[in-house]
Amino acid sequence: MSPRLFLLAAALFAAGCATRTPSVKPAPPAAVVAPPAVEVATVRERYVSEDTAADELDSLATWTTEDGRTWLIATAKSTHRLVVFDGDSGARLRDLGGEGSAPGQFRRPNGIAVHGDMLFVVERDNRRVQVLALPSFQPLATFGESELRSPYGIWLTETEPGELDVYVTDSFMYGARFDQLPPLAELSQRVRRYRVQVGGGDGRLRVAHAGTFGDTSEAAALHVVESIAGDPENDRLLIAEEDEKRPSTLREYTFSGRYTGRSLPQHAFAAQAEGVALWACADGEGYWIAVDQLAPLTVFHLFDRVSLAPRGSFRGSVTAHTDGVALHAASTPSFPGGVLYAVHDDRAVTAFDLRDVARALGLPRGCTG
């Protein structure tokens, strides 16, 4: 194993088109100034992958192969496996795993992240994070079994060479049908942090549980959590509040686990705030892209990387009811300016050329080369 010390977000590309229609969901709060009703631009997808409803696709991550190809790796909750797509064309390349608790097997895989040549997969029903080597998908380690209760999302960052901080959202519930929220005091455990040491003389991963966090006030608690993403340059984590009985938004935390009192603008989300990705530019500027999980068409909201002010919204011509997204800013043959991948209605993946997004929203060209 030779970890390449850079963090990839998510990618995919090429041409083509398909069609289908999806379903619906609800609404939001905040703390930056909310804009009046915003016009939503249309950005046509460059491709839509083959429809496979049985998989129930959820989250996405990307990895660049030795020969420069991009793999888009998706978690498939209902079939308990990983699906690998070609990032430039959307072609399905291979499936891995299957239901079980042995190394290389999964139970309800959800969040997914890549660091160097390692793939981190959150398994809700095995209550763990499994780490696999790329490109072989050879199992390397698991962690979190002693603490995690119902894990969903994951984000990680390299704090120094060979050391990672890994954040995992834990949306445990109570009741016979697991539909009762925990007491407010227990919501301090909504995000768990792990410290992972990579490599060493024996090549093993060393993992330590480094605590939990989450606001415990009724107004600002993380009642139901899944999506999480971070920005090391601005000491910022954005964590989705996804309780359907409350307005949905993304809350801002520091890396130390302190809630800042800010959320994305009130009424920005008409449905659930779901996937979130950082579109970082070379000059320290950039945009957060956040999913508004609507049907018949998902709306993608952009917010300023630094101020969190709204910077525009767009939808595709097909993409609906999106869970996970992945942003791959590196140039590829089909997407020289980078690409945003999105899950479409749990059954396919779609790709948006970031140059098309920038043109539609009138963004500066600094992020697309």
Side-chain angles (χ1 to χ4, degrees), residues 8-354:
L8 293 173
L12 225 280
F13 346 22
C17 214
T19 35
R20 3 176 339 86
T21 357
S23 35
V24 201
K25 291 195 180 181
V32 182
V33 180
V38 179
E39 182 179 346
V40 178
T42 296
V43 178
R44 187 176 177 84
E45 298 88 345
R46 288 301 181 101
Y47 68 71
V48 181
S49 73
E50 180 184 351
D51 189 314
T52 56
D55 284 324
E56 196 183 357
L57 301 176
D58 189 274
S59 299
L60 303 172
T62 60
W63 184 72
T64 304
T65 68
E66 293 294 331
D67 60 2
R69 298 169 62 203
T70 301
W71 284 358
L72 179 64
I73 308 169
T75 53
K77 295 184 293 190
S78 290
T79 52
H80 310 282
R81 61 189 177 186
L82 305 179
V83 180
V84 182
F85 298 91
D86 178 82
D88 278 300
S89 68
R92 191 172 183 134
L93 300 178
R94 62 191 293 199
D95 300 344
L96 301 115
E99 186 171 10
S101 56
Q105 295 181 322
F106 308 98
R107 281 203 174 100
R108 203 76 179 168
N110 200 293
I112 188 169
V114 167
H115 174 77
D117 293 334
M118 294 183 298
L119 179 69
F120 292 71
V121 181
V122 176
E123 300 176 61
R124 189 194 71 180
D125 291 355
N126 274 331
R127 301 180 180 184
R128 68 186 184 184
V129 178
Q130 186 167 181
V131 187
L132 303 100
L134 293 170
S136 66
F137 292 92
Q138 179 70 29
L140 298 175
T142 64
F143 63 88
E145 293 95 331
S146 300
E147 305 86 26
L148 295 169
R149 298 162 70 180
S150 190
Y152 278 84
I154 185 171
W155 184 80
L156 52 81
T157 184
E158 186 176 52
T159 54
E160 55 184 271
E163 295 202 5
L164 309 176
D165 273 359
V166 179
Y167 298 85
V168 182
T169 55
D170 197 354
S171 205
F172 58 90
M173 303 287 275
Y174 291 133
R177 296 175 15 171
F178 300 101
D179 58 356
Q180 295 177 20
L181 286 169
L184 283 172
E186 292 189 35
L187 298 183
S188 64
Q189 303 171 46
R190 274 309 192 219
V191 183
R192 295 191 180 274
R193 183 195 289 114
Y194 294 89
R195 293 212 165 90
V196 178
Q197 289 186 319
V198 180
D202 56 7
R204 297 175 59 190
L205 299 184
R206 290 171 172 79
V207 183
H209 182 227
T212 67
F213 61 86
D215 193 84
T216 56
S217 67
E218 176 59 39
L222 295 167
H223 296 89
V224 177
V225 289
E226 182 171 357
S227 300
I228 181 171
D231 180 1
E233 287 189 25
N234 291 292
D235 188 24
R236 173 177 289 150
L237 288 167
L238 290 185
I239 306 168
E241 161 63 90
E242 299 184 25
D243 187 357
E244 293 186 1
K245 298 176 182 175
R246 293 171 171 82
S248 188
T249 189
L250 288 154
R251 301 204 185 282
E252 181 190 42
Y253 278 74
T254 66
F255 281 10
S256 65
R258 179 181 61 84
Y259 175 52
T260 68
R262 296 208 310 174
S263 301
L264 290 186
Q266 190 169 13
H267 310 309
F269 297 91
Q272 280 189 328
E274 273 282 354
V276 56
L278 178 63
W279 183 4
C281 305
D283 57 3
E285 301 295 316
Y287 310 94
W288 287 99
I289 301 180
V291 167
D292 202 346
Q293 196 185 44
L294 290 160
L297 293 173
T298 294
V299 173
F300 301 88
H301 301 296
L302 272 69
F303 302 92
D304 185 86
R305 177 184 185 179
V306 179
S307 70
L308 299 185
R311 289 291 181 257
S313 302
F314 73 94
R315 61 168 64 93
S317 58
V318 173
T319 307
H321 212 219
T322 296
D323 281 312
V325 293
L327 192 138
H328 190 82
S331 174
T332 76
S334 296
F335 300 95
V339 54
L340 175 71
Y341 300 105
V343 171
H344 164 50
D345 199 26
D346 298 342
R347 60 184 66 213
V349 294
T350 65
F352 294 93
D353 191 315
L354 291 179

